Amino acid sequence: MTGNEIKLKAIAALTGVRSGIGTDYVSSLLGEVTPSEFLVPAEADAAEIGFAMLDQLSGPLSALISGFALAFEAVADAFDQTESGTSAQEILQELALQLASESD
């Protein structure tokens, strides 16, 4: 799967969540971007296996995060063009304050 295809999966997942599509479908959609099998050296120790798996996961996960960021940026830009009186940055700052005040 290419980087752009993975970014499209991220955008599709966000669209699905906002339109009320079931979480199982969204989870399945996002699961499609991660490898179902990993190639590791036959004689590898645990650390080498971990590094090989991380290397194979980092590309798809990076593209997925990039897709989420791209989608957010497009929505935030569109929102900022409205006359709501509140910017996307202010909404994010308020969210950050709320999360900072909550305990895990």
Side-chain angles (χ1 to χ4, degrees):
M1 186 173 295
T2 68
N4 276 346
E5 290 171 331
I6 293 172
K7 290 175 187 176
L8 288 170
K9 295 279 185 186
I11 294 168
L14 290 172
T15 303
V17 167
R18 291 295 297 167
S19 65
I21 291 176
T23 56
D24 289 343
Y25 178 77
V26 173
S27 292
S28 174
L29 187 66
L30 294 176
E32 293 175 13
V33 306
T34 57
S36 58
E37 296 178 353
F38 295 92
L39 299 173
V40 297
E43 303 299 321
D45 62 18
E48 292 170 323
I49 291 171
F51 285 127
M53 292 177 67
L54 182 60
D55 186 52
Q56 293 169 58
L57 280 171
S58 64
L61 292 180
S62 178
L64 189 63
I65 292 166
S66 179
F68 286 135
L70 180 67
F72 171 77
E73 188 70 28
V75 171
D77 285 347
F79 179 79
D80 285 343
Q81 297 300 314
T82 67
E83 307 230 356
S84 69
T86 304
S87 70
Q89 181 178 348
E90 291 169 324
I91 293 170
L92 290 172
Q93 289 170 342
E94 180 63 31
L95 176 60
L97 290 171
Q98 288 175 5
L99 288 173
S101 68
E102 295 176 3
S103 60
D104 286 334

